[in-house]
Amino acid sequence: MQRYFILKDDAWSETVVTIYGEDVHHISRVMRGEVGDRIICNHRNGRAAICEISEISNDKVRANIVDWQDQDVELPIEVTIVQGLPKGDKMDFILQKGTELGADSFIPYKAERSIVVWDEKKMKKKLQRFGKIVKEASEQSHRNKIPTIHDLVSIKQLIEVSDQFDVKIFAYEEEAKTTSYQSFAEVLKEMNSGMQLLICIGPEGGFSEKEAELLKENDFKPVRFGPRILRTETAALYALSSISYHFEELRWNECKQ
């Protein structure tokens, strides 16, 4: 069944969901939906309901709530990806795949070595497109929620917002070159369900020495993601995949035995 996030509270009643906007076009034109078809509708609180379409018009779709689902597919820890601005459309790819892999939120970061420059007008347009990307990726991957995309931050702003996280790390390529290093696995072993993890990833040129020192001074741990140097668009996906394996697959198998 196709999934849709219906985020306005007034779209929900005890028995009916009313869908507006682009999702109406998707249901009626793209999916060729008909009265009697079933879809999954997600509330902003994370709960999802199986609904049966009762009305389709040009501007809205109404669906009766048939059954509430209890399945939760979110990662056991809340992961925020701080992504140094990359070139081209790499950010689109990171947001789409990062959403599929369970990221809770994303923070674009203007790093020293970021070549891309966003002015206020460009940032507004980017964030609108990014919001659409994570919504569609959340629906495709059957997430319970849509990740939050924050405004672009500087190093100073990043350090300020980092206080709310239980664990703060940054992927530092110098760690991959040494024999004495902090592994990502060691960081994950120290975490428990419900904790918040902030992962910082540099742009194509990585973090500068100045940035690395500032992050270390503010309790960010430098870690390596394996012995190889990863591209900036690969690093977040490596981290999220590792987290999923550690907290969902590995622990589930251990409990099974």
Side-chain angles (χ1 to χ4, degrees), residues 74-143:
E74 298 302 311
L75 288 174
I77 64 173
E78 291 185 9
V79 183
T80 294
I81 301 294
V82 176
Q83 178 63 52
L85 292 186
K87 294 183 290 185
D89 59 0
K90 293 177 183 176
M91 194 71 174
D92 294 8
F93 176 81
I94 293 164
L95 292 170
Q96 183 189 62
K97 301 309 175 186
T99 297
E100 291 177 23
L101 289 166
D104 182 74
S105 60
F106 298 90
I107 303 177
Y109 166 55
K110 174 58 180 173
E112 275 191 31
R113 294 175 178 169
S114 287
I115 298 172
V116 177
V117 178
W118 291 359
D119 57 27
E120 191 170 333
K121 184 179 178 181
K122 184 177 284 189
M123 183 169 71
K124 186 176 180 181
K125 289 180 68 175
K126 291 272 189 185
L127 292 176
Q128 286 177 343
R129 190 174 85 252
F130 292 164
K132 185 176 181 180
I133 289 170
V134 298
K135 177 179 181 292
E136 290 176 353
S138 296
E139 290 170 346
Q140 184 276 322
S141 56
H142 285 208
R143 293 277 304 269

Side-chain angles (χ1 to χ4, degrees), residues 48-231:
I50 295 175
C51 302
E52 185 173 290
I53 296 174
S54 60
E55 176 189 342
I56 299 177
S57 64
N58 289 332
D59 62 341
K60 67 177 178 289
V61 172
R62 292 188 188 277
N64 298 321
I65 297 172
V66 175
D67 184 43
W68 284 97
Q69 296 187 307
D70 294 324
Q71 185 180 21
D72 185 358
V73 299
E74 298 302 311
L75 288 174
I77 64 173
E78 291 185 9
V79 183
T80 294
I81 301 294
V82 176
Q83 178 63 52
L85 292 186
K87 294 183 290 185
D89 59 0
K90 293 177 183 176
M91 194 71 174
D92 294 8
F93 176 81
I94 293 164
L95 292 170
Q96 183 189 62
K97 301 309 175 186
T99 297
E100 291 177 23
L101 289 166
D104 182 74
S105 60
F106 298 90
I107 303 177
Y109 166 55
K110 174 58 180 173
E112 275 191 31
R113 294 175 178 169
S114 287
I115 298 172
V116 177
V117 178
W118 291 359
D119 57 27
E120 191 170 333
K121 184 179 178 181
K122 184 177 284 189
M123 183 169 71
K124 186 176 180 181
K125 289 180 68 175
K126 291 272 189 185
L127 292 176
Q128 286 177 343
R129 190 174 85 252
F130 292 164
K132 185 176 181 180
I133 289 170
V134 298
K135 177 179 181 292
E136 290 176 353
S138 296
E139 290 170 346
Q140 184 276 322
S141 56
H142 285 208
R143 293 277 304 269
N144 290 91
K145 62 181 292 187
I146 300 173
T148 302
I149 302 177
H150 298 273
D151 289 338
L152 182 68
V153 297
S154 63
I155 186 72
K156 181 181 178 183
Q157 292 167 323
L158 171 58
I159 290 169
E160 287 173 356
V161 301
S162 70
D163 288 342
Q164 63 189 279
F165 293 87
D166 300 301
V167 179
K168 304 178 291 187
I169 65 173
F170 67 104
Y172 195 36
E173 63 183 39
E174 297 304 318
E175 289 290 300
K177 299 175 184 177
T178 66
T179 54
S180 177
Y181 59 85
Q182 169 110 46
S183 74
F184 189 40
E186 290 170 346
V187 172
L188 296 182
K189 285 178 182 177
E190 297 172 0
M191 298 194 68
N192 297 309
S193 296
M195 294 178 72
Q196 294 180 309
L197 172 63
L198 185 66
I199 302 175
C200 301
I201 295 163
E204 286 84 356
F207 291 104
S208 68
E209 289 184 14
K210 180 181 176 182
E211 286 173 312
E213 288 307 313
L214 273 170
L215 292 172
K216 289 177 186 177
E217 289 170 8
N218 287 276
D219 300 322
F220 286 75
K221 299 176 182 178
V223 299
R224 79 169 199 169
F225 291 162
R228 294 162 293 280
I229 304 300
L230 304 179
R231 289 179 180 270

Side-chain angles (χ1 to χ4, degrees), residues 241 243-255:
S241 298
I243 291 167
S244 174
Y245 176 73
H246 179 83
F247 284 97
E248 295 175 326
E249 299 302 318
L250 183 63
R251 291 193 177 179
W252 183 81
N253 284 329
E254 288 174 349
C255 291

